[in-house]
PDB file of all heavy atoms in Angstrom:
ATOM      1  N   LEU Z  93      67.869  69.491  71.321  1.00 95.00           N
ATOM      2  CA  LEU Z  93      68.836  68.755  72.126  1.00 95.00           C
ATOM      3  C   LEU Z  93      69.461  69.680  73.154  1.00 95.00           C
ATOM      4  O   LEU Z  93      69.531  70.896  72.964  1.00 95.00           O
ATOM      5  CB  LEU Z  93      69.967  68.194  71.241  1.00 95.00           C
ATOM      6  CG  LEU Z  93      69.758  66.881  70.491  1.00 95.00           C
ATOM      7  CD1 LEU Z  93      70.974  66.616  69.638  1.00 95.00           C
ATOM      8  CD2 LEU Z  93      69.492  65.726  71.436  1.00 95.00           C
ATOM      9  N   THR Z  97      79.458  71.420  77.373  1.00 95.00           N
ATOM     10  CA  THR Z  97      80.433  72.230  76.630  1.00 95.00           C
ATOM     11  C   THR Z  97      81.612  71.408  76.125  1.00 95.00           C
ATOM     12  O   THR Z  97      82.644  71.973  75.781  1.00 95.00           O
ATOM     13  CB  THR Z  97      80.951  73.365  77.530  1.00 95.00           C
ATOM     14  OG1 THR Z  97      81.562  72.788  78.709  1.00 95.00           O
ATOM     15  CG2 THR Z  97      79.818  74.284  77.954  1.00 95.00           C
ATOM     16  N   PRO Z 105      79.343  69.516  63.261  1.00 97.00           N
ATOM     17  CA  PRO Z 105      78.607  70.423  62.349  1.00 97.00           C
ATOM     18  C   PRO Z 105      77.095  70.361  62.566  1.00 97.00           C
ATOM     19  O   PRO Z 105      76.338  69.869  61.727  1.00 97.00           O
ATOM     20  CB  PRO Z 105      79.005  69.910  60.963  1.00 97.00           C
ATOM     21  CG  PRO Z 105      79.269  68.452  61.166  1.00 97.00           C
ATOM     22  CD  PRO Z 105      79.858  68.321  62.547  1.00 97.00           C
ATOM     23  N   GLY Z 125      68.892  64.548  75.540  1.00 97.00           N
ATOM     24  CA  GLY Z 125      70.201  65.103  75.876  1.00 97.00           C
ATOM     25  C   GLY Z 125      71.287  64.282  75.223  1.00 97.00           C
ATOM     26  O   GLY Z 125      71.124  63.077  75.001  1.00 97.00           O
ATOM     27  N   LEU Z 151      72.337  65.420  82.418  1.00 96.00           N
ATOM     28  CA  LEU Z 151      71.971  64.961  81.081  1.00 96.00           C
ATOM     29  C   LEU Z 151      71.911  63.444  81.006  1.00 96.00           C
ATOM     30  O   LEU Z 151      71.297  62.885  80.090  1.00 96.00           O
ATOM     31  CB  LEU Z 151      72.978  65.492  80.051  1.00 96.00           C
ATOM     32  CG  LEU Z 151      72.994  67.007  79.840  1.00 96.00           C
ATOM     33  CD1 LEU Z 151      74.043  67.391  78.817  1.00 96.00           C
ATOM     34  CD2 LEU Z 151      71.627  67.499  79.410  1.00 96.00           C
ATOM     35  N   ALA Z 186      93.579  61.697  92.432  1.00 79.00           N
ATOM     36  CA  ALA Z 186      92.521  62.652  92.075  1.00 79.00           C
ATOM     37  C   ALA Z 186      91.459  61.928  91.262  1.00 79.00           C
ATOM     38  O   ALA Z 186      91.764  61.047  90.472  1.00 79.00           O
ATOM     39  CB  ALA Z 186      93.086  63.819  91.275  1.00 79.00           C
ATOM     40  N   LEU Z 217      68.244  54.716  75.332  1.00 97.00           N
ATOM     41  CA  LEU Z 217      69.674  55.020  75.273  1.00 97.00           C
ATOM     42  C   LEU Z 217      70.146  54.724  73.864  1.00 97.00           C
ATOM     43  O   LEU Z 217      70.077  53.581  73.402  1.00 97.00           O
ATOM     44  CB  LEU Z 217      70.459  54.189  76.283  1.00 97.00           C
ATOM     45  CG  LEU Z 217      71.984  54.344  76.218  1.00 97.00           C
ATOM     46  CD1 LEU Z 217      72.399  55.780  76.556  1.00 97.00           C
ATOM     47  CD2 LEU Z 217      72.673  53.366  77.162  1.00 97.00           C
ATOM     48  N   SER Z 251      41.879  51.258  60.452  1.00 33.00           N
ATOM     49  CA  SER Z 251      40.592  51.868  60.773  1.00 33.00           C
ATOM     50  C   SER Z 251      39.838  51.012  61.768  1.00 33.00           C
ATOM     51  O   SER Z 251      39.855  49.797  61.703  1.00 33.00           O
ATOM     52  CB  SER Z 251      39.768  52.027  59.494  1.00 33.00           C
ATOM     53  OG  SER Z 251      38.467  52.464  59.806  1.00 33.00           O
ATOM     54  N   ALA Z 266      34.430  45.238  40.091  1.00 54.00           N
ATOM     55  CA  ALA Z 266      33.187  46.010  40.119  1.00 54.00           C
ATOM     56  C   ALA Z 266      32.613  46.151  38.729  1.00 54.00           C
ATOM     57  O   ALA Z 266      33.342  46.300  37.740  1.00 54.00           O
ATOM     58  CB  ALA Z 266      33.444  47.387  40.734  1.00 54.00           C
ATOM     59  N   PRO Z 274      22.353  52.879  47.990  1.00 57.00           N
ATOM     60  CA  PRO Z 274      22.612  53.639  49.230  1.00 57.00           C
ATOM     61  C   PRO Z 274      22.137  52.914  50.467  1.00 57.00           C
ATOM     62  O   PRO Z 274      22.757  52.980  51.521  1.00 57.00           O
ATOM     63  CB  PRO Z 274      21.859  54.949  49.012  1.00 57.00           C
ATOM     64  CG  PRO Z 274      21.701  55.065  47.527  1.00 57.00           C
ATOM     65  CD  PRO Z 274      21.577  53.662  47.010  1.00 57.00           C
ATOM     66  N   LEU Z 281      27.486  49.904  56.954  1.00 56.00           N
ATOM     67  CA  LEU Z 281      28.110  50.828  57.900  1.00 56.00           C
ATOM     68  C   LEU Z 281      27.582  50.606  59.311  1.00 56.00           C
ATOM     69  O   LEU Z 281      28.333  50.606  60.288  1.00 56.00           O
ATOM     70  CB  LEU Z 281      27.871  52.271  57.465  1.00 56.00           C
ATOM     71  CG  LEU Z 281      28.463  53.365  58.373  1.00 56.00           C
ATOM     72  CD1 LEU Z 281      29.975  53.194  58.480  1.00 56.00           C
ATOM     73  CD2 LEU Z 281      28.126  54.735  57.851  1.00 56.00           C
TER      74      LEU Z 281
END
Side-chain angles (χ1 to χ4, degrees):
L93 277 176
T97 59
L151 294 179
L217 175 63
S251 173
L281 180 59

